[in-house]
Amino acid sequence: MNTPPLVSLIIITMNHEKFIEQACMSAISQTYPNYEIILLDNASKDKTFENAEGLLSQFGQRYQMIRNTESFGVAKNINIAVSKASGEFISLLSGDDWYTEDSLAEKVAYIQENPVDFILSDGYKYYQAEDKTTDAYTPKEKKQVIDSLSNFFHENVSENRTSNVGTFVKTELLVKYPFDESINTEDWDMNLRLTSKEYKIGFIDKKLFYYRILSTSLSRNWKLMKDSYEKVTHKYIDYIKADQELYKKYRLKLIHFKYEILLSETDSEAEKEKLRIEWKKEKYRVKYKNPVLFFKLLMLKK
């Protein structure tokens, strides 16, 4: 009987003292028979490292611990962990998220049965403050992702449409094409880089992860998101500008960041309302070329 391929389940964590047990237990509880756990602690100031090591040491699962003495960005941490991996495949997990127990088994089965190089999947979002769980995608969003797989780069180059928790990828690709350490949205950047080089992406239509959303999540920091968006899209700006629809989406996304930042910087409701009106006007100027249609729509939207 052939031995199933070794998978390196990489957990990147920092100050996740409250959540690391759930992440580690989801890693330990995988039904897949052949995997290692590599946990990298990014110089946590709490008991994340001690709690993780104490838990992982209680089980027979193969694991290794890495502890940074200084803090780095997520991309560099992943690159460090990948350099220690022995598996044929890598599955990435943040220390505040967690997997379903069949996550690795489903991914290995999918990549063995389909001509793809890396995989995303469906899952859940968990809102910590509200203690609320929702689907990671609406039915419409998920259909868009699945329908766009054969043209993934084009469909995602002006806007990230995927939830990238639990990315599963051939190790050789991450060795050949390390994560860009200058970018915060390193997962979107990696998706574009691999698909731009014609590596194939797959999507498992099963819920295999839980993505924890905190008030401190990057998705709530509009300035950082704008910076990352511009860094990623700058790599492909000629491609974006060459396509009228892509360029329109790109400009609308920059307008979105502009006004979200302005709104986050004021507490005045009157000022916020003024900004929302200006946002609407600027958005319509980009979306509609016909001035008559523009003003008719503007009046309808008020």
Side-chain angles (χ1 to χ4, degrees), residues 104-225:
L104 295 188
E106 290 286 352
K107 292 167 185 173
V108 172
Y110 185 95
I111 208 165
Q112 289 182 323
E113 295 167 6
N114 295 276
V116 299
D117 301 291
F118 66 115
I119 305 169
L120 304 178
S121 78
D122 195 6
Y124 298 101
K125 291 179 180 177
Y126 175 70
Y127 293 84
Q128 180 69 30
E130 297 91 341
D131 188 23
K132 181 178 72 174
T133 301
T134 66
D135 293 336
Y137 298 96
T138 65
K140 180 180 179 181
E141 289 169 341
K142 184 161 66 172
K143 185 177 186 305
Q144 287 176 335
V145 170
I146 293 172
D147 290 348
S148 72
L149 289 176
S150 62
N151 199 26
F152 185 91
F153 174 81
H154 183 86
E155 295 297 327
N156 286 268
V157 70
S158 63
E159 182 176 5
N160 181 28
R161 295 175 176 269
T162 59
S163 182
N164 300 299
V165 181
T167 298
F168 189 86
V169 59
K170 293 177 179 178
T171 304
E172 63 187 77
L173 295 185
L174 296 189
V175 172
K176 188 174 182 179
Y177 305 107
F179 279 87
D180 186 337
E181 296 177 7
S182 71
I183 292 174
N184 288 310
T185 49
E186 72 290 329
D187 42 17
W188 175 37
D189 178 64
M190 179 57 69
N191 291 346
L192 293 179
R193 191 179 333 172
L194 292 181
T195 51
S196 72
K197 297 180 182 299
E198 300 186 352
Y199 290 105
K200 303 300 182 185
I201 186 170
F203 184 88
I204 302 176
D205 190 8
K206 295 180 180 180
K207 297 186 181 299
L208 302 180
F209 66 79
Y210 288 82
Y211 170 44
R212 191 188 308 269
I213 298 177
L214 306 168
S215 59
T216 56
S217 294
L218 177 59
S219 58
R220 306 295 180 93
N221 190 322
W222 292 108
K223 286 186 177 179
L224 272 178
M225 289 296 290

